[in-house]
């Protein structure tokens, strides 16, 4: 099956229900302004520009009217663009936009979105709204690996820092330093993981059903979807990510994201 034909049976889940505490804006991160629009609006435009989905399902903080309105405005923007290009041959597939209330953890937000996908979907990409500038090319690489037969695929970047392990439970000598190193991970075998992560839908549903029983501590440790699928023993493939897919988490990340939008590279979908 080629990538184009899979778009009809592919959904994108955009998780945007986080609190954004580390960004320190006093509002959910998805609402934070970036280049004149919100982080959520940039993320939605990036997903739509990739043209790989029949449905975009957004998990927002429960009952947030402003973010719901932003999703509705975005859908209207898509429809207006679709009407403008109708008949010209340049019109891309128009995805349905669905909004759900997210949960108290990222995994719960993903589960809420999974339960609102349209019938007939076979594949799903799960994307963090916080990676609002992920280029189109990354969506295409993930979708292409799914179309080529992968059940799970993630975008990754090589690690530039040397990574040490520590064991906070061991404690160090407080008079010397707060932590002590327990080892050095071999850098050539390490990858930094990004989103969108792509999955066969039935497999991701099975992985999340297994995780629904986790206690709070274990649930909080679920930082991506691929780790749940790994626990089913399913091979997870890795494609090249992009430095523009940075996860906007701290005030410095926001400055970098603003710089990417304003800089010579301009739009988010430029490959990097
Ligand atoms: O908190 P973290 O930075 O890992 O969040 C990654 C993504 O998951 C963000 O886009 C955030 O909005 C989303 N999230 C969510 N529901 C939560 C927590 C995080 O949708 N309860």
């Amino acid at each position: 099956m080629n990538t184009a034909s899979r778009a009809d049976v592919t959904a994108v889940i955009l998780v945007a229900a986080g609190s954004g505490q580390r960004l320190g804006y006093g509002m959910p991160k998805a609402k934070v302004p970036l280049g004149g629009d919100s982080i959520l609006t940039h993320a939605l435009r990036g997903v739509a520009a990739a043209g790989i989905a029949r449905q975009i399902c957004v998990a927002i903080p429960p009952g947030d009217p402003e973010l719901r309105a932003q999703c509705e405005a975005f859908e209207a923007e898509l429809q207006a663009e679709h009407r403008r290009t109708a008949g010209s041959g340049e019109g891309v597939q128009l995805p349905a936009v669905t909004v759900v209330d997210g949960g108290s953890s990222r995994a719960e937000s993903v589960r809420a979105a999974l339960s609102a996908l349209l019938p007939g979907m076979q594949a799903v990409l799960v994307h963090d709204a916080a990676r609002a500038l992920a280029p189109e090319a990354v969506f295409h690489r993930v979708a292409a690996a799914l179309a080529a037969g992968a059940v799970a695929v993630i975008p990754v970047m090589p690690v530039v820092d040397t990574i040490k392990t520590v064991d906070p439970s061991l404690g160090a000598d407080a008079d010397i330093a707060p932590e002590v190193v327990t080892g050095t991970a071999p850098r050539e075998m390490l990858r930094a993981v990004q989103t969108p992560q792509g999955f066969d839908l039935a497999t991701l549903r099975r992985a999340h059903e297994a995780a629904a029983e986790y206690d709070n501590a274990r649930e909080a440790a679920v930082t991506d979807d691929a780790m749940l699928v790994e626990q089913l023993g399913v091979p997870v493939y890795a494609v090249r990510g992009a430095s523009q897919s940075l996860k906007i988490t701290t005030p410095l990340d926001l400055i970098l994201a603003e710089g990417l939008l304003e800089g010579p590279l301009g739009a988010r979908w430029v490959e990097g």
Side-chain angles (χ1 to χ4, degrees):
M1 208 188 301
N2 65 30
T3 317
S5 65
R6 287 217 64 159
D8 287 341
V9 291
T10 300
V12 173
I13 289 175
L14 190 61
V15 281
S19 65
Q21 263 170 358
R22 286 168 292 184
L23 203 52
Y25 249 75
M27 63 172 82
K29 194 196 294 183
K31 276 186 200 170
V32 169
L34 168 64
D37 286 300
S38 69
I39 285 180
L40 177 63
T41 298
H42 280 282
L44 282 165
R45 288 194 185 131
V47 173
I52 46 96
R54 165 84 188 80
Q55 180 185 14
I56 305 173
C57 186
V58 191
I60 60 169
D64 190 307
E66 194 182 323
L67 287 175
R68 186 171 282 272
Q70 285 186 17
C71 292
E72 286 163 5
F74 169 73
E75 192 169 24
E77 176 184 309
L78 272 187
Q79 285 163 350
E81 176 68 10
H82 192 66
R83 279 194 298 275
R84 199 185 60 75
T85 57
S88 69
E90 29 162 323
V92 289
Q93 184 192 30
L94 188 63
V97 179
T98 312
V99 183
V100 296
D101 284 342
S104 57
S105 67
R106 185 187 181 281
E108 262 188 42
S109 296
V110 173
R111 279 195 286 277
L114 280 173
S115 65
L117 296 189
L118 295 173
M121 295 296 103
Q122 292 175 16
V124 63
L125 274 64
V126 185
H127 187 44
D128 289 343
R131 296 189 189 272
L133 303 185
E136 267 180 62
V138 177
F139 287 88
H140 293 165
R141 285 195 279 275
V142 171
L146 285 177
V151 167
V153 56
I154 59 175
V156 301
M157 292 293 280
V159 171
V160 293
D161 295 317
T162 297
I163 307 287
K164 304 280 182 195
T165 53
V166 296
D167 182 350
S169 70
L170 285 181
D173 184 334
D175 292 334
I176 303 175
E179 289 182 326
V180 65
V181 169
T182 55
T184 305
R187 191 167 67 182
E188 67 281 5
M189 293 177 71
L190 295 174
R191 300 289 179 267
V193 176
Q194 303 180 333
T195 68
Q197 300 188 347
F199 303 95
D200 162 69
L201 177 56
T203 305
L204 187 65
R205 283 203 160 116
R206 196 152 52 92
H208 270 280
E209 274 159 27
E213 307 303 320
Y214 287 4
D215 62 24
N216 286 349
R218 208 168 161 208
E219 173 97 348
V222 178
T223 49
D224 77 346
D225 298 279
M227 61 193 280
L228 297 179
V229 170
E230 284 159 44
Q231 282 164 23
L232 299 179
V234 170
V236 175
Y237 289 90
V239 295
R240 187 161 48 89
S243 40
Q244 290 103 315
S245 298
L246 83 164
K247 186 168 161 196
I248 302 168
T249 308
T250 66
L252 177 63
D253 300 327
L254 197 56
I255 292 168
L256 290 173
E258 291 279 4
L260 282 171
L261 282 176
E262 285 166 12
L265 289 180
R268 78 179 74 77
W269 45 84
V270 174
E271 175 71 2

